[in-house]
Coordinates of all heavy atoms in Angstrom, one line a residue:
I218 N 15.7 -51.8 18.6 CA 16.8 -50.9 18.8 C 18.1 -51.7 18.7 O 18.1 -52.9 18.9 CB 16.8 -50.2 20.2 CG1 16.6 -51.2 21.3 CG2 15.7 -49.2 20.2 CD1 16.8 -50.5 22.7
P219 N 19.2 -51.0 18.3 CA 19.3 -49.7 17.9 C 18.8 -49.3 16.5 O 18.5 -50.3 15.8 CB 20.9 -49.5 18.0 CG 21.4 -50.8 17.5 CD 20.5 -51.8 18.2
F220 N 18.7 -48.1 16.2 CA 18.3 -47.7 14.8 C 19.4 -46.7 14.4 O 19.7 -45.8 15.1 CB 17.0 -46.9 14.8 CG 16.6 -46.4 13.4 CD1 16.0 -47.2 12.6 CD2 17.0 -45.1 13.1 CE1 15.7 -46.8 11.3 CE2 16.7 -44.7 11.8 CZ 16.0 -45.5 10.9
P221 N 20.0 -47.0 13.2 CA 19.8 -48.1 12.3 C 20.2 -49.4 12.9 O 21.2 -49.4 13.6 CB 20.5 -47.7 11.0 CG 20.7 -46.3 11.1 CD 20.8 -45.9 12.6
L222 N 19.6 -50.5 12.5 CA 20.0 -51.8 13.1 C 21.3 -52.3 12.5 O 22.1 -52.8 13.2 CB 18.8 -52.7 12.9 CG 18.9 -54.1 13.5 CD1 19.0 -54.0 15.1 CD2 17.7 -55.0 13.1
I223 N 21.4 -52.3 11.1 CA 22.6 -52.7 10.5 C 23.0 -51.7 9.4 O 22.2 -50.8 9.0 CB 22.5 -54.1 9.9 CG1 21.3 -54.1 8.8 CG2 22.2 -55.2 10.9 CD1 21.2 -55.4 8.0
Q224 N 24.2 -51.8 8.9 CA 24.7 -50.8 7.9 C 24.1 -51.1 6.6 O 23.7 -52.2 6.2 CB 26.2 -50.9 7.8 CG 27.0 -50.6 9.1 CD 28.5 -50.4 8.8 OE1 28.9 -49.8 7.9 NE2 29.2 -51.2 9.6
G225 N 24.0 -50.0 5.8 CA 23.7 -50.2 4.4 C 25.0 -50.2 3.5 O 26.1 -50.2 4.1
P226 N 24.9 -50.1 2.2 CA 26.1 -50.1 1.3 C 27.0 -48.9 1.7 O 28.3 -49.1 1.5 CB 25.5 -49.9 0.0 CG 24.1 -50.5 0.0 CD 23.7 -50.1 1.4
Q227 N 26.6 -47.8 2.1 CA 27.5 -46.7 2.5 C 27.5 -46.5 4.0 O 27.5 -45.4 4.5 CB 27.0 -45.5 1.8 CG 27.2 -45.4 0.3 CD 26.1 -46.2 -0.4 OE1 25.0 -46.1 0.0 NE2 26.5 -46.9 -1.5
G228 N 27.6 -47.6 4.7 CA 27.6 -47.4 6.1 C 26.2 -47.1 6.7 O 25.2 -47.6 6.3
Y229 N 26.2 -46.0 7.6 CA 25.0 -45.5 8.2 C 24.6 -44.2 7.6 O 23.6 -43.7 8.1 CB 25.2 -45.5 9.7 CG 25.4 -46.8 10.4 CD1 26.6 -47.1 10.9 CD2 24.3 -47.7 10.6 CE1 26.8 -48.4 11.5 CE2 24.4 -48.9 11.2 CZ 25.7 -49.3 11.7 OH 25.9 -50.4 12.3
L230 N 25.3 -43.6 6.7 CA 24.9 -42.3 6.2 C 23.6 -42.4 5.4 O 23.4 -43.5 4.7 CB 26.1 -41.9 5.2 CG 27.2 -41.1 5.9 CD1 28.3 -40.9 4.9 CD2 26.8 -39.8 6.5
I231 N 22.9 -41.3 5.5 CA 21.6 -41.2 4.7 C 21.8 -40.2 3.6 O 22.3 -39.0 4.0 CB 20.4 -40.9 5.6 CG1 20.2 -42.1 6.5 CG2 19.2 -40.5 4.8 CD1 19.1 -41.8 7.6
Y232 N 21.5 -40.4 2.4 CA 21.7 -39.4 1.2 C 20.3 -39.1 0.6 O 19.4 -40.0 0.5 CB 22.6 -40.1 0.2 CG 23.9 -40.4 0.5 CD1 24.2 -41.5 1.3 CD2 25.0 -39.6 0.1 CE1 25.5 -41.9 1.6 CE2 26.3 -39.9 0.3 CZ 26.6 -41.0 1.2 OH 27.9 -41.3 1.4
Y233 N 20.2 -37.8 0.3 CA 19.0 -37.4 -0.4 C 19.3 -36.3 -1.4 O 20.4 -35.7 -1.4 CB 17.9 -36.9 0.4 CG 17.0 -38.0 1.0 CD1 17.1 -38.3 2.4 CD2 16.2 -38.7 0.2 CE1 16.3 -39.3 2.9 CE2 15.4 -39.7 0.8 CZ 15.5 -40.1 2.1 OH 14.8 -41.1 2.6
R234 N 18.4 -36.2 -2.5 CA 18.7 -35.1 -3.5 C 17.3 -34.3 -3.5 O 16.2 -34.9 -3.6 CB 18.9 -35.7 -4.9 CG 18.9 -34.7 -6.0 CD 19.5 -35.2 -7.3 NE 21.0 -35.4 -7.1 CZ 21.7 -36.4 -7.6 NH1 21.2 -37.3 -8.3 NH2 23.0 -36.4 -7.3
I235 N 17.5 -33.0 -3.5 CA 16.3 -32.1 -3.7 C 16.5 -31.3 -5.0 O 17.5 -30.6 -5.1 CB 16.2 -31.1 -2.5 CG1 16.0 -31.9 -1.1 CG2 15.1 -30.2 -2.7 CD1 16.2 -31.1 0.0
P236 N 15.6 -31.6 -6.0 CA 15.9 -30.9 -7.3 C 15.8 -29.4 -7.2 O 15.1 -28.8 -6.3 CB 14.6 -31.4 -8.1 CG 14.3 -32.7 -7.4 CD 14.5 -32.5 -6.0
G237 N 16.5 -28.8 -8.1 CA 16.6 -27.3 -8.1 C 15.3 -26.6 -8.2 O 15.1 -25.5 -7.8
K238 N 14.2 -27.2 -8.8 CA 13.0 -26.6 -8.9 C 12.2 -26.5 -7.6 O 11.2 -25.8 -7.5 CB 12.1 -27.3 -9.9 CG 11.7 -28.7 -9.5 CD 10.8 -29.4 -10.6 CE 10.5 -30.8 -10.3 NZ 9.6 -31.4 -11.3
F239 N 12.8 -27.1 -6.5 CA 12.2 -27.0 -5.2 C 13.2 -26.3 -4.2 O 12.8 -26.1 -3.0 CB 11.9 -28.3 -4.6 CG 11.0 -29.2 -5.5 CD1 11.4 -30.3 -6.0 CD2 9.6 -28.7 -5.7 CE1 10.5 -31.1 -6.9 CE2 8.8 -29.4 -6.4 CZ 9.2 -30.7 -7.0
A240 N 14.4 -26.0 -4.7 CA 15.4 -25.4 -3.7 C 16.2 -24.3 -4.4 O 16.6 -24.4 -5.5 CB 16.3 -26.5 -3.3
R241 N 16.4 -23.2 -3.6 CA 17.2 -22.1 -4.0 C 18.4 -22.0 -3.1 O 18.2 -21.7 -1.9 CB 16.4 -20.8 -4.0 CG 17.2 -19.6 -4.4 CD 16.2 -18.4 -4.8 NE 15.1 -18.3 -3.9 CZ 15.2 -17.6 -2.8 NH1 16.3 -17.0 -2.4 NH2 14.1 -17.5 -1.9
V242 N 19.6 -22.2 -3.7 CA 20.8 -22.1 -2.9 C 21.2 -20.6 -2.7 O 21.1 -19.8 -3.6 CB 22.0 -22.9 -3.7 CG1 23.3 -22.8 -2.8 CG2 21.6 -24.3 -3.9

Side-chain angles (χ1 to χ4, degrees):
I218 54 172
F220 178 86
L222 188 59
I223 60 174
Q224 297 186 55
Q227 291 79 38
Y229 294 106
L230 277 169
I231 294 173
Y232 294 78
Y233 276 109
R234 171 167 290 143
I235 301 171
K238 64 181 179 180
F239 301 117
R241 177 164 44 85
V242 182

